């Protein structure tokens, strides 16, 4: 698992606007395409977000009350100072202290709410709210426990003490008192979620390849004829600045690359981007974003998403498959960004939307630095030929 830092809630910044067949750089959506959608708002939290938040809140209150046990408090303190993230459910099981049954139940509830396989590993994690709290986390101090709320605009944070009392804290300024934060291991959740997404897309009739999946027969023939295949590779990417609450943790970013496969049917290829941790940092991943051997046309689209508490991967896959299967190959490139975004349930846009950014018309010969439709950062890409052995 990756170390976590203060969460940089990305408004990810990347976007590749493609070159036309005449190799002219496009700086907007292709003709006839609707403008990049604006996040919608509603006053109702999604059922998934509510279920996840409720499970996390139960866990936070249970942990707070359990800190009256000095042995458990010491075990948790030692683990929190030794690691940026503590797998709290297994720790409670190993030490024989702490509310293990309550935490295990919360893990099951979270997995179910997010549409994940029940066998997925424990998702609950606990961390110290801010590095400035380390000195205050002494052996005779009993921390409060809070939940990493998914609402970026929240002005306050609720923290519980060992008597179960709730306290309201400033979300933008870390308190002097040490506070443990209960959150989800977004790396684990995303890995499991993308497996569900691919499986459910396939069940819905939308082709979707895992990163290490073998090429299709048509792609194999193309690769064999050319001695390899062309891709679009990300050389560098930087996220925009943000002002995140101290209580927030890392989120995980993934991209849904969409287009028409070699069989003329719509396909969606999820791409995990686990390295995007902090804003203001230039990352040089050398990551393949698009494998062009999978696509019929020299253009594809991409929708950047974020794993958070409101993401139910089963429902997302069903919704996307239902929307994309209504689009048929007309013998020319058709942008799919809006179809994917329109498929996202309206309530998912509440508070903390899963949608980050989108790109129309990524092209095989796209080369250089491009900014996203939402202006959330930049990405440098280049064509990259993967040579066969």
């Amino acid at each position: 698992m990756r170390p976590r830092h203060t969460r940089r809630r990305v408004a990810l910044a990347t976007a590749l606007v493609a070159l036309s067949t005449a190799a002219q750089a496009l700086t907007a959506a292709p003709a006839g395409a609707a403008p990049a959608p604006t996040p919608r708002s509603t006053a109702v939290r999604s059922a998934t977000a509510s279920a996840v938040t409720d499970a996390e809140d139960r866990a936070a209150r249970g942990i707070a009350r359990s800190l009256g046990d000095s042995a458990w408090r010491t075990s948790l303190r030692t683990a929190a100072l030794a690691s940026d993230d503590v797998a709290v459910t297994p720790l409670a099981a190993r030490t024989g202290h702490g509310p293990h049954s309550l935490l295990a139940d919360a893990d099951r509830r979270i997995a179910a709410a997010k549409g994940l396989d029940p066998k997925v590993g424990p998702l609950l994690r606990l961390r110290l709210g801010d590095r400035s709290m380390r000195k205050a986390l002494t052996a005779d101090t009993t921390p409060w426990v809070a939940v990493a709320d998914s609402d970026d605009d929240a002005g306050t944070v609720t923290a519980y003490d060992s008597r179960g009392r709730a306290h309201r804290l400033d979300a933008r300024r870390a308190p002097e008192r040490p506070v443990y934060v209960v959150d989800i291991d977004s790396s684990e959740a995303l890995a499991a979620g993308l497996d569900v997404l691919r499986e459910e897309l396939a069940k819905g009739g939308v082709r979707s390849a895992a990163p290490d999946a073998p090429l299709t027969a048509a792609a194999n023939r193309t690769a064999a004829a050319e001695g390899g295949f062309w891709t679009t590779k990300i050389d560098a990417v930087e996220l925009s600045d943000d002002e995140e609450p101290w209580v927030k943790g890392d989120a995980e970013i993934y991209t849904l690359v969409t287009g028409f496969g070699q069989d003329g049917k719509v396909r969606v290829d999820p791409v995990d981007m686990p390295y995007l941790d902090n804003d203001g940092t230039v990352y040089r991943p050398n990551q393949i974003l698009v494998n062009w051997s999978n696509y019929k046309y020299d253009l594809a689209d991409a929708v950047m998403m974020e794993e958070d508490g409101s993401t139910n991967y089963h429902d997302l896959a069903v919704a996307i498959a239902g929307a994309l299967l209504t689009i048929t190959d007309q013998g020319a490139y058709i942008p799919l960004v809006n179809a994917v975004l329109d498929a996202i349930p309206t309530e998912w846009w509440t508070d903390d939307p899963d949608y980050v950014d989108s790109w129309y018309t990524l092209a095989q010969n796209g080369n250089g630095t491009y900014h996203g439709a939402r202006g959330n950062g930049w990405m440098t890409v280049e064509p990259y030929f993967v040579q066969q052995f």
Side-chain angles (χ1 to χ4, degrees):
M1 183 177 66
R2 298 180 294 114
R4 297 188 177 230
H5 311 283
T6 301
R7 187 183 183 205
R8 83 288 181 254
R9 185 69 166 91
V10 317
L12 178 59
T14 62
L16 173 49
V17 193
L19 298 177
S20 66
T21 54
Q24 285 187 314
L26 296 177
T27 57
T38 302
R40 291 161 285 182
S41 178
T42 172
V44 181
R45 292 177 64 88
S46 73
T48 296
S50 295
V52 170
T53 299
D54 180 66
E56 289 178 311
D57 191 72
R58 284 167 173 254
R61 284 185 279 122
I63 293 170
R65 288 194 296 266
S66 72
L67 293 178
D69 182 331
S70 60
W72 169 240
R73 186 171 66 247
T74 298
S75 296
L76 206 51
R77 172 179 175 269
T78 300
L81 291 175
S83 173
D84 291 329
D85 253 336
V86 178
V88 65
T89 307
L91 179 65
R94 288 196 306 271
T95 62
H97 299 282
H100 175 257
S101 60
L102 182 149
L103 296 177
D105 180 67
D107 274 319
R108 288 190 292 269
R109 289 172 179 267
I110 291 170
K114 294 177 70 61
L116 303 178
D117 190 310
K119 297 179 181 179
V120 66
L123 295 174
L124 283 174
R125 292 296 183 269
L126 180 142
R127 56 184 166 79
L128 199 56
D130 191 83
R131 294 190 65 83
S132 64
M133 300 174 182
R134 293 178 67 87
K135 289 184 179 180
L137 188 61
T138 60
D140 57 353
T141 299
T142 302
W144 291 349
V145 184
V147 173
D149 196 313
S150 63
D151 185 357
D152 286 343
D153 298 323
T156 60
V157 174
T158 300
Y160 301 99
D161 63 24
S162 59
R163 295 184 179 181
R165 297 173 300 189
H167 304 267
R168 305 298 288 179
L169 304 176
D170 188 333
R172 296 291 169 179
R173 184 172 61 182
E176 294 182 2
R177 167 184 288 274
V179 178
Y180 288 142
V181 176
V182 173
D183 204 350
I184 293 175
D185 181 352
S186 51
S187 296
E188 181 75 17
L190 179 57
L194 292 185
D195 286 342
V196 171
L197 188 64
R198 295 183 187 99
E199 180 180 347
E200 294 301 325
L201 284 172
K203 287 181 181 178
V206 176
R207 191 179 296 279
S208 180
D212 55 353
L215 298 178
T216 64
N220 260 322
R221 288 193 295 271
T222 301
E226 297 183 1
F229 54 90
W230 282 101
T231 68
T232 290
K233 179 168 70 73
I234 303 172
D235 291 332
V237 58
E238 182 179 12
L239 311 180
S240 301
D241 292 334
D242 57 25
E243 297 180 5
E244 286 306 313
W246 57 269
V247 75
K248 301 299 278 289
D250 280 345
E252 298 293 327
I253 299 300
Y254 61 102
T255 297
L256 303 178
V257 179
T258 67
F260 288 91
Q262 301 244 2
D263 58 1
K265 297 180 180 179
V266 171
R267 65 177 295 126
V268 177
D269 293 311
V271 179
D272 190 4
M273 306 179 81
Y275 48 86
L276 290 168
D277 285 333
N278 298 304
D279 59 10
T281 301
V282 177
Y283 294 92
R284 303 183 184 279
N286 289 319
Q287 181 186 26
I288 291 176
L289 181 63
V290 186
N291 177 348
W292 291 104
S293 67
N294 288 327
Y295 293 88
K296 177 179 180 180
Y297 299 108
D298 185 28
L299 294 172
D301 293 330
V303 177
M304 188 74 70
M305 305 285 285
E306 179 180 9
E307 148 62 29
D308 68 8
S310 65
T311 308
N312 182 302
Y313 292 93
H314 175 273
D315 292 350
L316 177 62
V318 170
I320 290 176
L324 294 184
L325 287 176
T326 65
I327 302 174
T328 58
D329 182 9
Q330 302 297 317
Y333 164 76
I334 300 172
L336 301 175
V337 168
N338 285 9
V340 172
L341 294 181
D342 287 343
I344 297 174
T346 301
E347 64 268 24
W348 286 18
W349 298 98
T350 304
D351 295 332
D352 197 24
D354 295 318
Y355 168 60
V356 175
D357 214 331
S358 53
W359 302 266
Y360 296 85
T361 59
L362 289 88
Q364 180 177 307
N365 59 351
N367 191 5
T369 298
Y370 301 89
H371 292 263
R374 299 182 68 186
N376 291 325
W378 57 265
M379 175 165 53
T380 301
V381 301
E382 67 171 320
Y384 183 77
F385 189 74
V386 177
Q387 190 77 41
Q388 283 189 332
F389 284 117

